[in-house]
Amino acid sequence: YEQSNKDARQWLPKGQYFIFMLILAAGISLLVADMAILFNVAAIGFVISASSLIFAEMGIPVPGTHHITLIAGLAAVSSGNIYIGMAFGIIAMLVGEVWALTFNSFNDTHIDPPAGAIFICAFIVMAIF
């Protein structure tokens, strides 16, 4: 299987994509962290984000954010602080990107990046709080 230069793996393929995901992760994490503390339900954002994946099945380009919102809610409820929830949401986004580029580049298998991010980040949140 020969790769061309245009298919070469890069850390964060496009700078604009990274900025978009960073702003999205920060904004949605802050909102979900506040909702999670208000209702005392860590998975409240996960339900909304996972539901949005229905649109992805219809061919509408929707970013997967369920790993971001689940970790943001879990960290916020565990710590009682929305800013810690936001920070862990951003970390979950970064872990998901690294996971995708590490395990899903140049192969014919799929190891789910959001699941990997949830696994790693939930372990860290539970170990800390």
Side-chain angles (χ1 to χ4, degrees):
Y1 183 73
E2 189 174 320
Q3 296 290 323
S4 66
N5 283 339
K6 70 176 185 164
D7 294 333
R9 177 175 34 175
Q10 299 172 4
W11 166 248
L12 303 174
K14 295 179 184 173
Q16 293 173 342
Y17 173 77
F18 176 70
I19 296 298
F20 169 76
M21 286 304 294
L22 185 64
I23 292 169
L24 177 68
I28 199 167
S29 295
L30 193 60
L31 177 67
V32 166
D34 189 39
M35 286 175 32
I37 290 173
L38 180 65
F39 296 114
N40 199 27
V41 177
I44 195 164
F46 176 79
V47 173
I48 297 166
S49 292
S51 300
S52 72
L53 293 177
I54 293 170
F55 296 107
E57 284 295 318
M58 292 188 279
I60 300 169
V62 177
T65 58
H66 53 289
H67 58 298
I68 298 168
T69 56
L70 180 61
I71 297 303
L74 180 64
V77 170
S78 298
S79 69
N81 188 324
I82 62 172
Y83 298 110
I84 290 176
M86 181 180 76
F88 272 98
I90 293 169
I91 291 168
M93 182 273 298
L94 292 171
V95 170
E97 291 296 318
V98 170
W99 189 280
L101 292 171
T102 302
F103 293 109
N104 292 337
S105 296
F106 308 128
N107 58 31
D108 58 353
T109 62
H110 177 75
I111 301 173
D112 193 39
I118 291 169
F119 166 71
I120 292 170
C121 294
F123 180 80
I124 293 169
V125 169
M126 295 308 227
I128 292 173
F129 302 107

